[in-house]
Amino acid sequence: MDKNLSTIGVRTKCIISLFLFGALFLSGCPSESGKESSKTSTRPALVSQAELKTLEDKALAEIEKYRQMKCPRPVLRGTAIAGSGNADMIAVIEGNSETADCRKLLEQKSEQLFEALNFEEKTAVAGRPLRGWREARPLDDPKASTDKILFLEGACSQAINLVRRAVKYEEACSPYLPGRRGEPALIIHIRTMRILAATARRYLMEGRTREGVELLLDGLRFGQDMSRGGSSLLEAMVSAAAGKVLYQVLELAFNQPKPIGEKYLETVSKELTQLIKTDVHPGTILRGEMWTMILYSVMPAVKGKDWVPPGGWGTEGRGPIAGEEQDNLPGKIFGANAKDDMAVAWLATLETGHEQLKACPIDKLPIECHNNLLELAKKMDVAADDHLDRINRIWNVAKAEDKIEEIRRQVIEILKGIAAPAYNKYIAKMGQARFLLAALKLQVEYRHLAEKTKSCPDAKAFDKEPLKSLRNDPYSGKPILIETPSAGSFVLRSPSLLDNEQTIDKQPAILVECPFRKIK
């Protein structure tokens, strides 16, 4: 599993490199003499120094807003701690003396832990629906509760405590908003949620349902806070991946045969409602993504290798080509020099970003954002052969000073076309969290009804209150789909595709099992 985590984020170095340098080096063109072309020219700059200064001033002003931003949100339970949870979040993600042993062990054992908690890939489990994740082992499966796992839990108890404390603060902006702190390696987030899930499973097995469920919901809240305020898309996608193991154990918790209690189920329902209401909108993430690209990839290439962004560098924050390094790349230039071309890339990044933000207003459902971004990507995208043809045509007129505006406009359009990132598919992946939270709430309310009536309401109950109004999917605004594989057993499915796989069995789903059903 871990070996695939580097592909989670859309803002990979390859994609940034393609966006920033695609028009410049797409052809890989040597000069007519057969040698690499020079990185300077006698042509006027495509972006003047005055305009460049304006770009920089505006960018730094936006970054300062992120640095000063406040993100208050209600705590899930109890009284909020004054101040920010950033110090605890940073300790979880970047480590400290108290979590060093845990981090080392998780680096070595996280994959084994994942295998212990789940059935093998493509294993069909009796009574479980086909869906887009590996099935979690039952709570009483001895393979998911071993001395080795208990040892890991003990070693990571402080990291788990930090997660729980971080979400109790009233101020919850991500510490990794653009300009606050350089982006670190984020795989530890996924590894930490795995051991947190293992700890919650043990609580549930010991009859400590409240403690187990609260721990899992705190883990989901931590994932939300990692993006709160508008982090890069990478943090959002890692949080989405990290949350899957938590949703799986919550499903097991709410399907357990032991009574949970009507009063506590009401409390859980309220906490799930809070998580749904305070989930970070994808439009907020896209804005953070745009400024992350500009701050950590575009500006370094324009400002030079000695420039340091506000908040410093992180282990993952620096772009693929920064400072003076682009001068060593082969290819043609269209402006006065390579840095001038990078300034044009800056303009293209801004134009693309603002068009995406216009397509994804935060007052609209995420599915509208998805559909608008899909259309925008189609509009921007142009075949690679067309890009090459346009580059060669621009190159033929690039020496004419009176063609500067035309050259600049066409280079920007080419860059936008090359980038044309299909962000819509990542919006859908983020939508999985909203659907799963709503499905879990519906599962909890069904469980509440079952315990209240000491019966197993049939599928018709989902078309009546109190369940009917809870079927709304907060991603799409459509009713959650209900399947009935057997009496007292239901599958809650998303009304929209939430994964790149275009088949229903690859989509996330929640299994609801009545505790009073008769098992044949």
Side-chain angles (χ1 to χ4, degrees), residues 150-375:
L150 283 173
F151 178 76
L152 272 178
E153 285 184 39
C156 293
S157 60
Q158 181 58 20
I160 293 172
N161 290 338
L162 286 168
V163 169
R164 303 210 66 180
R165 191 172 66 185
V167 301
K168 292 180 180 178
Y169 285 90
E170 61 185 3
E171 165 55 34
C173 281
S174 170
Y176 304 110
L177 298 183
R180 282 202 173 189
R181 193 175 184 88
E183 193 172 85
L186 296 169
I187 192 172
I188 190 63
H189 184 179
I190 292 174
R191 292 170 177 168
T192 301
M193 292 305 114
R194 288 176 179 175
I195 194 59
L196 184 148
T199 303
R201 288 177 63 106
R202 178 170 59 81
Y203 289 166
L204 295 169
M205 276 299 296
E206 294 172 352
R208 300 155 64 185
T209 297
R210 179 185 289 267
E211 291 177 76
V213 170
E214 287 183 354
L215 181 57
L216 294 164
L217 296 181
D218 284 348
L220 292 175
R221 172 64 98 192
F222 184 89
Q224 288 184 341
D225 290 348
M226 279 290 290
S227 297
R228 199 170 304 283
S231 68
S232 77
L233 192 54
L234 182 57
E235 272 100 354
M237 295 309 300
V238 169
S239 294
K244 283 189 176 181
V245 67
L246 309 180
Y247 295 118
Q248 290 176 309
V249 183
L250 282 166
E251 178 192 87
L252 294 175
F254 301 141
N255 284 337
Q256 63 178 304
K258 302 174 186 176
I260 297 175
E262 294 175 49
K263 187 173 182 180
Y264 182 57
L265 286 167
E266 292 169 4
T267 298
V268 174
S269 182
K270 291 177 182 177
E271 292 182 7
L272 286 167
T273 298
Q274 190 64 252
L275 286 168
I276 294 168
K277 287 183 176 180
T278 56
D279 192 38
V280 183
H281 192 277
T284 302
I285 302 297
L286 289 179
R287 180 176 294 277
E289 173 71 7
M290 177 180 73
W291 288 111
T292 295
M293 278 186 98
I294 289 171
L295 182 63
Y296 297 113
S297 295
V298 181
M299 290 184 71
V302 174
K303 297 291 292 179
K305 63 183 178 181
D306 295 326
W307 183 76
V308 177
W313 296 112
T315 55
E316 298 295 324
R318 191 166 184 171
I321 305 175
E324 307 292 337
E325 297 170 24
Q326 72 271 19
D327 287 333
N328 298 320
L329 290 173
K332 297 175 179 179
I333 59 170
F334 296 91
N337 50 45
K339 284 188 177 181
D340 186 31
D341 283 354
M342 291 309 305
V344 180
W346 192 334
L347 294 172
T349 305
L350 280 171
E351 282 196 20
T352 303
H354 285 303
E355 288 184 47
Q356 289 165 343
L357 291 174
K358 185 178 179 180
C360 192
I362 60 174
D363 61 343
K364 300 296 184 181
L365 287 169
I367 196 170
E368 296 181 51
C369 178
H370 168 277
N371 295 340
N372 291 341
L373 287 171
L374 177 60
E375 291 305 310

Side-chain angles (χ1 to χ4, degrees), residues 3 20 43 139 203 250 271 274 346 405 448 457 504:
K3 64 178 180 288
L20 298 181
R43 290 184 295 281
L139 292 175
Y203 289 166
L250 282 166
E271 292 182 7
Q274 190 64 252
W346 192 334
E405 285 301 320
H448 182 271
I504 194 69

